[in-house]
PDB file of all heavy atoms in Angstrom:
ATOM      1  N   THR A  40      19.224  27.972   8.365  1.00  0.00           N
ATOM      2  CA  THR A  40      17.772  27.752   8.246  1.00  0.00           C
ATOM      3  C   THR A  40      17.397  27.087   6.909  1.00  0.00           C
ATOM      4  O   THR A  40      16.254  26.616   6.750  1.00  0.00           O
ATOM      5  CB  THR A  40      17.008  29.082   8.383  1.00  0.00           C
ATOM      6  OG1 THR A  40      17.513  30.041   7.454  1.00  0.00           O
ATOM      7  CG2 THR A  40      17.148  29.617   9.802  1.00  0.00           C
ATOM      8  N   VAL A  41      18.302  27.047   5.959  1.00  0.00           N
ATOM      9  CA  VAL A  41      18.060  26.236   4.764  1.00  0.00           C
ATOM     10  C   VAL A  41      17.933  24.786   5.137  1.00  0.00           C
ATOM     11  O   VAL A  41      17.149  24.029   4.586  1.00  0.00           O
ATOM     12  CB  VAL A  41      19.181  26.462   3.722  1.00  0.00           C
ATOM     13  CG1 VAL A  41      19.047  25.458   2.555  1.00  0.00           C
ATOM     14  CG2 VAL A  41      19.150  27.871   3.178  1.00  0.00           C
ATOM     15  N   LEU A  42      18.757  24.356   6.095  1.00  0.00           N
ATOM     16  CA  LEU A  42      18.696  22.986   6.594  1.00  0.00           C
ATOM     17  C   LEU A  42      17.594  22.828   7.665  1.00  0.00           C
ATOM     18  O   LEU A  42      16.742  21.961   7.574  1.00  0.00           O
ATOM     19  CB  LEU A  42      20.027  22.569   7.193  1.00  0.00           C
ATOM     20  CG  LEU A  42      21.191  22.443   6.195  1.00  0.00           C
ATOM     21  CD1 LEU A  42      22.482  22.194   6.945  1.00  0.00           C
ATOM     22  CD2 LEU A  42      20.911  21.324   5.195  1.00  0.00           C
ATOM     23  N   PHE A  43      17.624  23.702   8.664  1.00  0.00           N
ATOM     24  CA  PHE A  43      16.616  23.673   9.731  1.00  0.00           C
ATOM     25  C   PHE A  43      15.426  24.537   9.320  1.00  0.00           C
ATOM     26  O   PHE A  43      15.158  25.573   9.873  1.00  0.00           O
ATOM     27  CB  PHE A  43      17.251  24.137  11.047  1.00  0.00           C
ATOM     28  CG  PHE A  43      16.305  24.027  12.242  1.00  0.00           C
ATOM     29  CD1 PHE A  43      15.828  22.781  12.632  1.00  0.00           C
ATOM     30  CD2 PHE A  43      15.950  25.142  12.960  1.00  0.00           C
ATOM     31  CE1 PHE A  43      14.957  22.675  13.708  1.00  0.00           C
ATOM     32  CE2 PHE A  43      15.109  25.036  14.042  1.00  0.00           C
ATOM     33  CZ  PHE A  43      14.604  23.807  14.419  1.00  0.00           C
ATOM     34  N   ASP A  44      14.717  24.061   8.308  1.00  0.00           N
ATOM     35  CA  ASP A  44      13.624  24.810   7.720  1.00  0.00           C
ATOM     36  C   ASP A  44      12.286  24.239   8.215  1.00  0.00           C
ATOM     37  O   ASP A  44      11.718  23.311   7.620  1.00  0.00           O
ATOM     38  CB  ASP A  44      13.706  24.719   6.182  1.00  0.00           C
ATOM     39  CG  ASP A  44      12.767  25.706   5.485  1.00  0.00           C
ATOM     40  OD1 ASP A  44      11.772  26.122   6.119  1.00  0.00           O
ATOM     41  OD2 ASP A  44      13.035  26.043   4.320  1.00  0.00           O
ATOM     42  N   CYS A  45      11.829  24.771   9.334  1.00  0.00           N
ATOM     43  CA  CYS A  45      10.623  24.245   9.944  1.00  0.00           C
ATOM     44  C   CYS A  45       9.378  24.543   9.126  1.00  0.00           C
ATOM     45  O   CYS A  45       8.419  23.751   9.115  1.00  0.00           O
ATOM     46  CB  CYS A  45      10.473  24.811  11.362  1.00  0.00           C
ATOM     47  SG  CYS A  45      11.774  24.265  12.503  1.00  0.00           S
ATOM     48  N   ASP A  46       9.388  25.685   8.428  1.00  0.00           N
ATOM     49  CA  ASP A  46       8.198  26.030   7.634  1.00  0.00           C
ATOM     50  C   ASP A  46       7.963  24.989   6.521  1.00  0.00           C
ATOM     51  O   ASP A  46       6.806  24.713   6.209  1.00  0.00           O
ATOM     52  CB  ASP A  46       8.406  27.414   6.993  1.00  0.00           C
ATOM     53  CG  ASP A  46       8.338  28.540   8.032  1.00  0.00           C
ATOM     54  OD1 ASP A  46       7.787  28.313   9.120  1.00  0.00           O
ATOM     55  OD2 ASP A  46       8.887  29.634   7.755  1.00  0.00           O
ATOM     56  N   ARG A  47       9.021  24.486   5.941  1.00  0.00           N
ATOM     57  CA  ARG A  47       8.843  23.549   4.820  1.00  0.00           C
ATOM     58  C   ARG A  47       8.822  22.084   5.248  1.00  0.00           C
ATOM     59  O   ARG A  47       8.153  21.260   4.650  1.00  0.00           O
ATOM     60  CB  ARG A  47       9.971  23.757   3.808  1.00  0.00           C
ATOM     61  CG  ARG A  47       9.881  25.040   3.049  1.00  0.00           C
ATOM     62  CD  ARG A  47      10.539  24.933   1.669  1.00  0.00           C
ATOM     63  NE  ARG A  47      11.966  24.640   1.734  1.00  0.00           N
ATOM     64  CZ  ARG A  47      12.720  24.353   0.660  1.00  0.00           C
ATOM     65  NH1 ARG A  47      12.147  24.318  -0.526  1.00  0.00           N
ATOM     66  NH2 ARG A  47      14.002  24.119   0.783  1.00  0.00           N
ATOM     67  N   PHE A  48       9.603  21.747   6.294  1.00  0.00           N
ATOM     68  CA  PHE A  48       9.849  20.335   6.573  1.00  0.00           C
ATOM     69  C   PHE A  48       9.221  19.823   7.847  1.00  0.00           C
ATOM     70  O   PHE A  48       9.215  18.606   8.091  1.00  0.00           O
ATOM     71  CB  PHE A  48      11.361  20.090   6.637  1.00  0.00           C
ATOM     72  CG  PHE A  48      12.106  20.458   5.370  1.00  0.00           C
ATOM     73  CD1 PHE A  48      13.365  20.962   5.413  1.00  0.00           C
ATOM     74  CD2 PHE A  48      11.515  20.279   4.133  1.00  0.00           C
ATOM     75  CE1 PHE A  48      14.046  21.304   4.257  1.00  0.00           C
ATOM     76  CE2 PHE A  48      12.161  20.605   2.956  1.00  0.00           C
ATOM     77  CZ  PHE A  48      13.435  21.118   3.017  1.00  0.00           C
ATOM     78  N   LEU A  49       8.699  20.678   8.701  1.00  0.00           N
ATOM     79  CA  LEU A  49       8.064  20.281   9.931  1.00  0.00           C
ATOM     80  C   LEU A  49       6.555  20.342   9.757  1.00  0.00           C
ATOM     81  O   LEU A  49       6.018  21.433   9.522  1.00  0.00           O
ATOM     82  CB  LEU A  49       8.531  21.163  11.098  1.00  0.00           C
ATOM     83  CG  LEU A  49       8.017  20.828  12.491  1.00  0.00           C
ATOM     84  CD1 LEU A  49       8.425  19.430  12.954  1.00  0.00           C
ATOM     85  CD2 LEU A  49       8.493  21.873  13.501  1.00  0.00           C
ATOM     86  N   ARG A  50       5.877  19.227   9.825  1.00  0.00           N
ATOM     87  CA  ARG A  50       4.437  19.172   9.565  1.00  0.00           C
ATOM     88  C   ARG A  50       3.679  18.590  10.762  1.00  0.00           C
ATOM     89  O   ARG A  50       4.138  17.627  11.368  1.00  0.00           O
ATOM     90  CB  ARG A  50       4.157  18.322   8.317  1.00  0.00           C
ATOM     91  CG  ARG A  50       4.938  18.695   7.079  1.00  0.00           C
ATOM     92  CD  ARG A  50       4.262  19.756   6.243  1.00  0.00           C
ATOM     93  NE  ARG A  50       5.080  20.114   5.097  1.00  0.00           N
ATOM     94  CZ  ARG A  50       5.154  19.426   3.982  1.00  0.00           C
ATOM     95  NH1 ARG A  50       4.417  18.315   3.856  1.00  0.00           N
ATOM     96  NH2 ARG A  50       5.900  19.824   2.981  1.00  0.00           N
ATOM     97  N   THR A  51       2.523  19.176  11.046  1.00  0.00           N
ATOM     98  CA  THR A  51       1.658  18.655  12.097  1.00  0.00           C
ATOM     99  C   THR A  51       0.230  18.541  11.597  1.00  0.00           C
ATOM    100  O   THR A  51      -0.209  19.327  10.749  1.00  0.00           O
ATOM    101  CB  THR A  51       1.660  19.575  13.325  1.00  0.00           C
ATOM    102  OG1 THR A  51       1.083  20.861  12.994  1.00  0.00           O
ATOM    103  CG2 THR A  51       3.074  19.788  13.848  1.00  0.00           C
ATOM    104  N   HIS A  52      -0.476  17.500  12.085  1.00  0.00           N
ATOM    105  CA  HIS A  52      -1.875  17.364  11.788  1.00  0.00           C
ATOM    106  C   HIS A  52      -2.513  16.424  12.815  1.00  0.00           C
ATOM    107  O   HIS A  52      -1.827  15.609  13.405  1.00  0.00           O
ATOM    108  CB  HIS A  52      -2.116  16.869  10.373  1.00  0.00           C
ATOM    109  CG  HIS A  52      -1.755  15.439  10.171  1.00  0.00           C
ATOM    110  ND1 HIS A  52      -0.451  15.014  10.005  1.00  0.00           N
ATOM    111  CD2 HIS A  52      -2.535  14.319  10.084  1.00  0.00           C
ATOM    112  CE1 HIS A  52      -0.415  13.707   9.845  1.00  0.00           C
ATOM    113  NE2 HIS A  52      -1.656  13.253   9.885  1.00  0.00           N
ATOM    114  N   VAL A  53      -3.790  16.562  12.991  1.00  0.00           N
ATOM    115  CA  VAL A  53      -4.554  15.668  13.856  1.00  0.00           C
ATOM    116  C   VAL A  53      -5.158  14.557  12.972  1.00  0.00           C
ATOM    117  O   VAL A  53      -5.785  14.882  11.954  1.00  0.00           O
ATOM    118  CB  VAL A  53      -5.662  16.420  14.623  1.00  0.00           C
ATOM    119  CG1 VAL A  53      -6.508  15.428  15.421  1.00  0.00           C
ATOM    120  CG2 VAL A  53      -5.048  17.435  15.584  1.00  0.00           C
ATOM    121  N   ILE A  54      -4.942  13.318  13.326  1.00  0.00           N
ATOM    122  CA  ILE A  54      -5.414  12.214  12.502  1.00  0.00           C
ATOM    123  C   ILE A  54      -6.920  12.024  12.660  1.00  0.00           C
ATOM    124  O   ILE A  54      -7.540  12.514  13.629  1.00  0.00           O
ATOM    125  CB  ILE A  54      -4.666  10.909  12.779  1.00  0.00           C
ATOM    126  CG1 ILE A  54      -5.120  10.321  14.150  1.00  0.00           C
ATOM    127  CG2 ILE A  54      -3.161  11.114  12.775  1.00  0.00           C
ATOM    128  CD1 ILE A  54      -4.726   8.850  14.334  1.00  0.00           C
ATOM    129  N   GLU A  55      -7.504  11.253  11.769  1.00  0.00           N
ATOM    130  CA  GLU A  55      -8.898  10.839  11.909  1.00  0.00           C
ATOM    131  C   GLU A  55      -8.920   9.410  12.455  1.00  0.00           C
ATOM    132  O   GLU A  55      -8.030   8.605  12.218  1.00  0.00           O
ATOM    133  CB  GLU A  55      -9.586  10.869  10.539  1.00  0.00           C
ATOM    134  CG  GLU A  55      -9.712  12.293   9.975  1.00  0.00           C
ATOM    135  CD  GLU A  55     -10.469  12.291   8.662  1.00  0.00           C
ATOM    136  OE1 GLU A  55     -10.915  11.199   8.201  1.00  0.00           O
ATOM    137  OE2 GLU A  55     -10.604  13.390   8.079  1.00  0.00           O
ATOM    138  N   ALA A  56      -9.957   9.134  13.221  1.00  0.00           N
ATOM    139  CA  ALA A  56     -10.086   7.790  13.783  1.00  0.00           C
ATOM    140  C   ALA A  56     -10.255   6.782  12.689  1.00  0.00           C
ATOM    141  O   ALA A  56     -11.041   6.965  11.754  1.00  0.00           O
ATOM    142  CB  ALA A  56     -11.292   7.740  14.743  1.00  0.00           C
ATOM    143  N   PRO A  57      -9.531   5.657  12.774  1.00  0.00           N
ATOM    144  CA  PRO A  57      -9.712   4.596  11.746  1.00  0.00           C
ATOM    145  C   PRO A  57     -11.117   3.993  11.852  1.00  0.00           C
ATOM    146  O   PRO A  57     -11.816   4.109  12.869  1.00  0.00           O
ATOM    147  CB  PRO A  57      -8.646   3.563  12.132  1.00  0.00           C
ATOM    148  CG  PRO A  57      -7.672   4.290  12.994  1.00  0.00           C
ATOM    149  CD  PRO A  57      -8.478   5.322  13.725  1.00  0.00           C
ATOM    150  N   ASP A  58     -11.527   3.325  10.789  1.00  0.00           N
ATOM    151  CA  ASP A  58     -12.833   2.634  10.800  1.00  0.00           C
ATOM    152  C   ASP A  58     -12.861   1.606  11.929  1.00  0.00           C
ATOM    153  O   ASP A  58     -11.861   0.951  12.224  1.00  0.00           O
ATOM    154  CB  ASP A  58     -13.056   1.923   9.467  1.00  0.00           C
ATOM    155  CG  ASP A  58     -13.247   2.893   8.313  1.00  0.00           C
ATOM    156  OD1 ASP A  58     -13.563   4.089   8.578  1.00  0.00           O
ATOM    157  OD2 ASP A  58     -13.054   2.488   7.134  1.00  0.00           O
ATOM    158  N   GLY A  59     -14.013   1.499  12.544  1.00  0.00           N
ATOM    159  CA  GLY A  59     -14.199   0.531  13.601  1.00  0.00           C
ATOM    160  C   GLY A  59     -14.101   1.126  14.981  1.00  0.00           C
ATOM    161  O   GLY A  59     -14.371   0.420  15.995  1.00  0.00           O
ATOM    162  N   TYR A  60     -13.769   2.417  15.090  1.00  0.00           N
ATOM    163  CA  TYR A  60     -13.694   3.095  16.392  1.00  0.00           C
ATOM    164  C   TYR A  60     -14.731   4.207  16.430  1.00  0.00           C
ATOM    165  O   TYR A  60     -14.958   4.908  15.423  1.00  0.00           O
ATOM    166  CB  TYR A  60     -12.309   3.652  16.622  1.00  0.00           C
ATOM    167  CG  TYR A  60     -11.252   2.588  16.745  1.00  0.00           C
ATOM    168  CD1 TYR A  60     -10.570   2.129  15.620  1.00  0.00           C
ATOM    169  CD2 TYR A  60     -10.953   2.023  17.975  1.00  0.00           C
ATOM    170  CE1 TYR A  60      -9.623   1.131  15.733  1.00  0.00           C
ATOM    171  CE2 TYR A  60      -9.977   1.059  18.098  1.00  0.00           C
ATOM    172  CZ  TYR A  60      -9.334   0.599  16.982  1.00  0.00           C
ATOM    173  OH  TYR A  60      -8.373  -0.398  17.084  1.00  0.00           O
ATOM    174  N   ALA A  61     -15.386   4.379  17.562  1.00  0.00           N
ATOM    175  CA  ALA A  61     -16.428   5.356  17.696  1.00  0.00           C
ATOM    176  C   ALA A  61     -15.915   6.770  17.386  1.00  0.00           C
ATOM    177  O   ALA A  61     -16.624   7.573  16.744  1.00  0.00           O
ATOM    178  CB  ALA A  61     -17.063   5.293  19.087  1.00  0.00           C
ATOM    179  N   ASP A  62     -14.720   7.071  17.863  1.00  0.00           N
ATOM    180  CA  ASP A  62     -14.135   8.378  17.638  1.00  0.00           C
ATOM    181  C   ASP A  62     -12.650   8.296  17.921  1.00  0.00           C
ATOM    182  O   ASP A  62     -12.118   7.222  18.249  1.00  0.00           O
ATOM    183  CB  ASP A  62     -14.798   9.458  18.521  1.00  0.00           C
ATOM    184  CG  ASP A  62     -14.853   9.082  20.001  1.00  0.00           C
ATOM    185  OD1 ASP A  62     -13.991   8.282  20.439  1.00  0.00           O
ATOM    186  OD2 ASP A  62     -15.743   9.571  20.704  1.00  0.00           O
ATOM    187  N   LEU A  63     -11.956   9.415  17.800  1.00  0.00           N
ATOM    188  CA  LEU A  63     -10.505   9.426  17.990  1.00  0.00           C
ATOM    189  C   LEU A  63     -10.153   9.112  19.432  1.00  0.00           C
ATOM    190  O   LEU A  63      -9.144   8.437  19.703  1.00  0.00           O
ATOM    191  CB  LEU A  63      -9.928  10.779  17.587  1.00  0.00           C
ATOM    192  CG  LEU A  63      -8.400  10.919  17.602  1.00  0.00           C
ATOM    193  CD1 LEU A  63      -7.748   9.845  16.737  1.00  0.00           C
ATOM    194  CD2 LEU A  63      -7.980  12.309  17.164  1.00  0.00           C
ATOM    195  N   ALA A  64     -10.958   9.536  20.384  1.00  0.00           N
ATOM    196  CA  ALA A  64     -10.691   9.232  21.774  1.00  0.00           C
ATOM    197  C   ALA A  64     -10.708   7.731  22.037  1.00  0.00           C
ATOM    198  O   ALA A  64      -9.873   7.195  22.778  1.00  0.00           O
ATOM    199  CB  ALA A  64     -11.727   9.945  22.687  1.00  0.00           C
ATOM    200  N   ALA A  65     -11.612   7.033  21.389  1.00  0.00           N
ATOM    201  CA  ALA A  65     -11.702   5.594  21.558  1.00  0.00           C
ATOM    202  C   ALA A  65     -10.465   4.899  20.971  1.00  0.00           C
ATOM    203  O   ALA A  65      -9.893   3.949  21.563  1.00  0.00           O
ATOM    204  CB  ALA A  65     -12.960   5.050  20.894  1.00  0.00           C
ATOM    205  N   TYR A  66     -10.027   5.402  19.823  1.00  0.00           N
ATOM    206  CA  TYR A  66      -8.806   4.845  19.220  1.00  0.00           C
ATOM    207  C   TYR A  66      -7.592   5.120  20.035  1.00  0.00           C
ATOM    208  O   TYR A  66      -6.757   4.248  20.266  1.00  0.00           O
ATOM    209  CB  TYR A  66      -8.647   5.357  17.791  1.00  0.00           C
ATOM    210  CG  TYR A  66      -7.425   4.783  17.101  1.00  0.00           C
ATOM    211  CD1 TYR A  66      -7.292   3.408  16.934  1.00  0.00           C
ATOM    212  CD2 TYR A  66      -6.405   5.620  16.640  1.00  0.00           C
ATOM    213  CE1 TYR A  66      -6.172   2.885  16.319  1.00  0.00           C
ATOM    214  CE2 TYR A  66      -5.295   5.084  16.005  1.00  0.00           C
ATOM    215  CZ  TYR A  66      -5.171   3.709  15.857  1.00  0.00           C
ATOM    216  OH  TYR A  66      -4.064   3.165  15.265  1.00  0.00           O
ATOM    217  N   ASN A  67      -7.458   6.352  20.519  1.00  0.00           N
ATOM    218  CA  ASN A  67      -6.348   6.692  21.384  1.00  0.00           C
ATOM    219  C   ASN A  67      -6.334   5.837  22.676  1.00  0.00           C
ATOM    220  O   ASN A  67      -5.273   5.460  23.171  1.00  0.00           O
ATOM    221  CB  ASN A  67      -6.361   8.182  21.748  1.00  0.00           C
ATOM    222  CG  ASN A  67      -5.895   9.068  20.607  1.00  0.00           C
ATOM    223  OD1 ASN A  67      -5.137   8.624  19.753  1.00  0.00           O
ATOM    224  ND2 ASN A  67      -6.364  10.295  20.599  1.00  0.00           N
ATOM    225  N   GLY A  68      -7.511   5.545  23.172  1.00  0.00           N
ATOM    226  CA  GLY A  68      -7.586   4.683  24.361  1.00  0.00           C
ATOM    227  C   GLY A  68      -7.079   3.295  24.055  1.00  0.00           C
ATOM    228  O   GLY A  68      -6.358   2.705  24.884  1.00  0.00           O
ATOM    229  N   ALA A  69      -7.424   2.774  22.881  1.00  0.00           N
ATOM    230  CA  ALA A  69      -6.915   1.435  22.489  1.00  0.00           C
ATOM    231  C   ALA A  69      -5.420   1.420  22.322  1.00  0.00           C
ATOM    232  O   ALA A  69      -4.725   0.491  22.732  1.00  0.00           O
ATOM    233  CB  ALA A  69      -7.632   0.998  21.214  1.00  0.00           C
ATOM    234  N   LEU A  70      -4.876   2.482  21.691  1.00  0.00           N
ATOM    235  CA  LEU A  70      -3.430   2.594  21.518  1.00  0.00           C
ATOM    236  C   LEU A  70      -2.726   2.663  22.878  1.00  0.00           C
ATOM    237  O   LEU A  70      -1.728   1.999  23.122  1.00  0.00           O
ATOM    238  CB  LEU A  70      -3.057   3.832  20.683  1.00  0.00           C
ATOM    239  CG  LEU A  70      -3.329   3.767  19.175  1.00  0.00           C
ATOM    240  CD1 LEU A  70      -3.061   5.131  18.560  1.00  0.00           C
ATOM    241  CD2 LEU A  70      -2.446   2.705  18.520  1.00  0.00           C
ATOM    242  N   SER A  71      -3.252   3.477  23.768  1.00  0.00           N
ATOM    243  CA  SER A  71      -2.608   3.650  25.087  1.00  0.00           C
ATOM    244  C   SER A  71      -2.630   2.347  25.861  1.00  0.00           C
ATOM    245  O   SER A  71      -1.628   1.977  26.489  1.00  0.00           O
ATOM    246  CB  SER A  71      -3.347   4.755  25.869  1.00  0.00           C
ATOM    247  OG  SER A  71      -3.274   5.997  25.224  1.00  0.00           O
ATOM    248  N   LYS A  72      -3.729   1.643  25.833  1.00  0.00           N
ATOM    249  CA  LYS A  72      -3.830   0.347  26.524  1.00  0.00           C
ATOM    250  C   LYS A  72      -2.825  -0.634  25.939  1.00  0.00           C
ATOM    251  O   LYS A  72      -2.151  -1.387  26.671  1.00  0.00           O
ATOM    252  CB  LYS A  72      -5.258  -0.190  26.402  1.00  0.00           C
ATOM    253  CG  LYS A  72      -5.455  -1.519  27.125  1.00  0.00           C
ATOM    254  CD  LYS A  72      -6.911  -1.981  27.008  1.00  0.00           C
ATOM    255  CE  LYS A  72      -7.092  -3.331  27.729  1.00  0.00           C
ATOM    256  NZ  LYS A  72      -8.519  -3.773  27.596  1.00  0.00           N
ATOM    257  N   HIS A  73      -2.691  -0.629  24.604  1.00  0.00           N
ATOM    258  CA  HIS A  73      -1.741  -1.539  23.945  1.00  0.00           C
ATOM    259  C   HIS A  73      -0.318  -1.253  24.352  1.00  0.00           C
ATOM    260  O   HIS A  73       0.453  -2.154  24.654  1.00  0.00           O
ATOM    261  CB  HIS A  73      -1.904  -1.405  22.431  1.00  0.00           C
ATOM    262  CG  HIS A  73      -1.079  -2.380  21.640  1.00  0.00           C
ATOM    263  ND1 HIS A  73      -1.412  -3.705  21.509  1.00  0.00           N
ATOM    264  CD2 HIS A  73       0.083  -2.226  20.961  1.00  0.00           C
ATOM    265  CE1 HIS A  73      -0.503  -4.336  20.768  1.00  0.00           C
ATOM    266  NE2 HIS A  73       0.425  -3.444  20.406  1.00  0.00           N
ATOM    267  N   VAL A  74       0.030   0.051  24.399  1.00  0.00           N
ATOM    268  CA  VAL A  74       1.394   0.449  24.779  1.00  0.00           C
ATOM    269  C   VAL A  74       1.682   0.079  26.228  1.00  0.00           C
ATOM    270  O   VAL A  74       2.721  -0.518  26.548  1.00  0.00           O
ATOM    271  CB  VAL A  74       1.594   1.965  24.531  1.00  0.00           C
ATOM    272  CG1 VAL A  74       2.905   2.432  25.210  1.00  0.00           C
ATOM    273  CG2 VAL A  74       1.620   2.278  23.054  1.00  0.00           C
TER     274      VAL A  74
END
């Protein structure tokens, strides 16, 4: 667990929508369409 140390090395967060998008859902829609 010194190597597989999820508490220290595994990070999660929800991003904020970049400027120019109404909200995160709109940005995610643009990303999905692009992919």
Side-chain angles (χ1 to χ4, degrees):
T40 54
V41 170
L42 293 174
F43 185 60
D44 192 337
C45 294
D46 290 339
R47 291 207 298 173
F48 301 145
L49 182 61
R50 307 271 178 83
T51 64
H52 71 282
V53 175
I54 73 165
E55 295 183 1
D58 292 341
Y60 294 90
D62 52 26
L63 186 56
Y66 181 58
N67 283 335
L70 285 174
S71 298
K72 182 178 179 181
H73 185 76
V74 168

